[in-house]
Amino acid sequence: MIIVISFLRSVSCKKLSSHLKNMTDDYTTFMELALEEAKKAGQKNEVPIGAVVVDSNGSVIAAAHNRVITRADGTAHAEILALRAACAAANNYRLPGTTLFVTVEPCPMCMGAIIHARVERLVFGAFDPKWGAAGSLYDFAADDRLNHQPEVITGVCEEACRRLIKEFFRVKRVKYR
């Protein structure tokens, strides 16, 4: 576990992503916060995914990380926990004008929650070809049969997000051999 924690502390979006010059500083800043949340999850031996909800004024209204294992709850994904906290803060089950920053592409469950909550924009770092529902395996945001299509922005701090999750699973595979 020491290897994982020391690696988690060393990952930096700014050091790893040269293509961010074309992205806004705000997106980078908020994704850095999501990466910090992801590191917290990894330190708890949870899959290192973090999420941050930002309102239309640019204020962080919620932040969370995966807690599936610690809560013994298969729905305790970072996105779900962040959306729950943001809804509580807004005292509303809908979150118009908000942006959700998440380190890894959301799964179908999380994309469903994003759409139901009417999140305006989803920004994520790394694609998830096995579970992704925002462009990889599925593309819920582009499905005009649904009543809401959030804007999707990908690749913000992509390399840092990808390295964080890949290293987590690499260490797990070595540990359980």
Side-chain angles (χ1 to χ4, degrees):
M1 192 62 171
I2 294 171
I3 295 170
V4 174
I5 292 171
S6 64
F7 175 78
L8 294 173
R9 288 185 186 140
S10 70
V11 171
S12 170
C13 175
K14 292 173 187 164
K15 292 178 187 173
L16 295 174
S17 296
S18 61
H19 70 281
L20 282 177
K21 293 175 184 170
N22 297 329
M23 306 305 281
T24 67
D25 288 340
D26 286 346
Y27 284 5
T28 302
T29 299
F30 294 128
M31 191 59 78
E32 286 279 354
L33 295 174
L35 277 163
E36 289 303 315
E37 286 294 322
K39 292 172 191 176
K40 291 176 189 176
Q43 291 167 353
K44 296 173 184 174
N45 205 29
E46 297 271 5
V47 175
I49 298 175
V52 174
V53 180
V54 177
D55 69 14
S56 59
N57 297 318
S59 298
V60 174
I61 57 173
H65 54 274
N66 273 0
R67 293 186 184 169
V68 174
I69 297 167
T70 55
R71 289 192 173 186
D73 178 357
T75 68
H77 289 199
E79 301 94 323
I80 299 293
L81 297 175
L83 290 172
R84 286 177 183 161
C87 287
N91 196 30
N92 193 342
Y93 70 101
R94 292 192 174 161
L95 298 168
T98 60
T99 301
L100 173 65
F101 291 84
V102 63
T103 55
V104 177
E105 179 182 9
C107 72
M109 175 184 69
C110 293
M111 278 305 296
I114 290 163
I115 290 166
H116 280 292
R118 307 300 195 274
V119 171
E120 183 176 321
R121 182 178 304 105
L122 166 66
V123 178
F124 68 85
F127 281 96
D128 183 352
K130 292 183 179 179
W131 281 96
S136 287
L137 188 59
Y138 303 104
D139 197 352
F140 286 16
D143 191 335
D144 62 7
R145 295 172 297 176
L146 300 173
N147 63 347
H148 177 68
Q149 291 81 37
E151 175 185 5
V152 176
I153 298 169
T154 67
V156 177
C157 300
E158 181 176 10
E159 186 60 28
C161 294
R162 183 183 301 113
R163 282 192 57 200
L164 182 63
I165 200 152
K166 279 189 170 193
E167 182 63 12
F168 176 82
F169 284 113
R170 186 193 67 75
V171 170
K172 276 213 167 287
R173 282 189 301 274
V174 169
K175 183 178 177 183
Y176 293 107
R177 281 189 184 176

